[in-house]
Amino acid sequence: MQSSSSSVLSPDWSAIIAVVLGVTAFSVAQGLTYPLVSLTLEAQGYSSSLIGVNAIAYAAGMGASTLLVGSLTARWRPDRLIIFSLVVCSLCLATFAASSSFVVWGVARFLLGFFTSMIFMLGEAWLNAACPDRLRGRVSGLYGMGICGGFAAGPLAIPLFGSAGGLGFALTAVYLAIVAFATAMLMFSTRTVPEPSSTADVFRFFKAAPVLVGMVFIFGFADIAAISAMPVYFVKMGYSESFAALSVTVLALPTALAQPFIGVLLDKLPRERVALAAVGTAAFSYLMLPSMTSQIAILGIFALMGVAVFSLYTCALTILGERYSGAMLVAGAAAFALVYAAGSAAGSGLTGAIMEAAGPQAGPLSVGLGLAAFTVLLVFARRR
């Protein structure tokens, strides 16, 4: 059984399809639970602070899984852990549909964060282990499209099925159960599996790959700033709430559709140059946003922003598989999860605080300047 990505001469398509299916399902579940849990708890009369506590339970679960992924992969095969994680996620969503207890929801939210993060980390490692380097960018692009599409599709359950009665949770639970079964069937024909890792490997990766870690941090920062802070920016600048909501859709759809094309570029061009172009374009889009006055121009630059920002992650994932193999693949994926969480927390909180202190336009300008500074750092890193 192969485990090193460098030893794979032909793609293990069964593993690749299983990973894309599993991570897309994870993204649908996360895209649904973020807004739907908050809306349901608010409708039940819980305060904003308690709703925040419930959200913290999800983040705590994600953090715990990052620290425990090494010991879990040492005991159980990673591919079987992915199936088990999908089943537990399905049960968590079914719990949301069946119970109204705040404590039960908190426990379910913690477990959901834990096992969705496990799917994310092990899936990325397995994807790279199953993929020859000549196709790595294209496969990472398909993976990125699955993540973006899942996040965009998840919230659609709310207008379709409403936030009351738990129907959205129940149907998503059934969907995850079906994906878990399909993934199990695909595993009968897989040829690869990621190697076990350890917590020490995670911290070793931070030291070995600071540029990749920085790319994912900047991605998390700019991605969440676009999704959460920029709609607020639009409202503060006098645009309607419907326009702000439309901007998120315009951000998500082109981003999903563009990732396979970014993957082709990663396989045809030097990957560091593609990453440099992505972060530079993201910086340009943020810096240009305050000067846009036409709504069409704003939506156009916003679509470009989404494509460029998410392409940073597709680049980082591709370069991870190119440079590392074995246990370091799982360690790298776990490190990515940690720094993405840190970057997204900073992107949401810091951008909002800057807009409050210095005015709405300071929000996109500050993110753009941060991206521009990282572009300069990438240039120096390439020269070294």
Side-chain angles (χ1 to χ4, degrees), residues 78-114:
D79 51 350
R80 294 175 182 172
L81 275 173
I82 291 176
I83 296 174
F84 180 74
S85 297
L86 285 166
V87 171
V88 175
C89 289
S90 176
L91 293 174
C92 288
L93 289 168
T95 300
F96 291 140
S99 173
S100 59
S101 166
F102 183 83
V103 174
V104 171
W105 274 43
V107 173
R109 197 85 187 274
F110 175 88
L111 293 174
L112 188 66
F114 186 98

Side-chain angles (χ1 to χ4, degrees), residues 276 279-280 283 369-383:
L276 187 60
V279 69
L369 289 173
L371 287 164
F374 189 73
T375 304
V376 174
L377 288 176
L378 280 185
V379 171
F380 281 111
R382 286 193 73 242
R383 288 179 178 175

Side-chain angles (χ1 to χ4, degrees), residues 153-325:
L156 294 178
I158 298 174
L160 287 174
F161 307 112
S163 58
L167 183 58
F169 289 128
L171 291 177
T172 309
V174 172
Y175 166 62
L176 285 180
I178 293 171
V179 170
F181 177 78
T183 303
M185 293 300 100
L186 285 166
M187 284 182 184
F188 284 110
S189 57
T190 58
R191 297 181 285 106
T192 56
V193 68
E195 288 184 6
S197 184
S198 68
T199 304
D201 288 332
V202 177
F203 293 104
R204 192 176 300 120
F205 184 85
F206 275 96
K207 184 177 180 180
V211 173
L212 285 181
V213 169
M215 284 173 61
V216 177
F217 179 87
I218 289 295
F219 158 66
F221 188 100
D223 182 52
I224 296 301
I227 294 171
S228 64
M230 291 306 100
V232 176
Y233 160 80
F234 290 134
V235 173
K236 287 181 177 292
M237 292 298 293
Y239 295 97
S240 66
E241 290 185 0
S242 59
F243 177 81
L246 176 64
S247 72
V248 177
T249 302
V250 170
L251 183 84
L253 292 179
T255 299
L257 294 174
Q259 294 315 300
F261 298 98
I262 299 298
V264 172
L265 293 178
L266 286 165
D267 286 337
K268 300 292 185 183
L269 301 173
R271 287 163 179 166
E272 293 84 357
R273 290 186 183 179
V274 178
L276 187 60
V279 69
T281 303
F284 169 81
S285 62
Y286 265 106
L287 292 172
M288 287 296 295
L289 187 62
S291 66
M292 299 287 105
T293 55
S294 164
Q295 291 190 1
I296 294 177
I298 289 172
L299 293 177
I301 203 76
F302 213 58
L304 179 65
M305 179 190 298
V307 171
V309 168
F310 197 91
S311 296
L312 264 178
Y313 193 76
T314 302
C315 292
L317 181 61
T318 303
I319 297 171
L320 169 67
E322 175 190 0
R323 296 181 180 175
Y324 298 95
S325 61

Side-chain angles (χ1 to χ4, degrees), residues 13-53:
W13 287 113
S14 294
I16 291 169
I17 293 170
V19 170
V20 173
L21 275 177
V23 172
T24 302
F26 146 78
S27 299
V28 170
Q30 195 172 24
L32 170 72
T33 54
Y34 271 145
L36 186 53
V37 168
S38 297
L39 290 171
T40 305
L41 289 175
E42 185 178 31
Q44 292 175 357
Y46 290 101
S47 66
S48 297
S49 59
L50 285 177
I51 294 173
V53 168

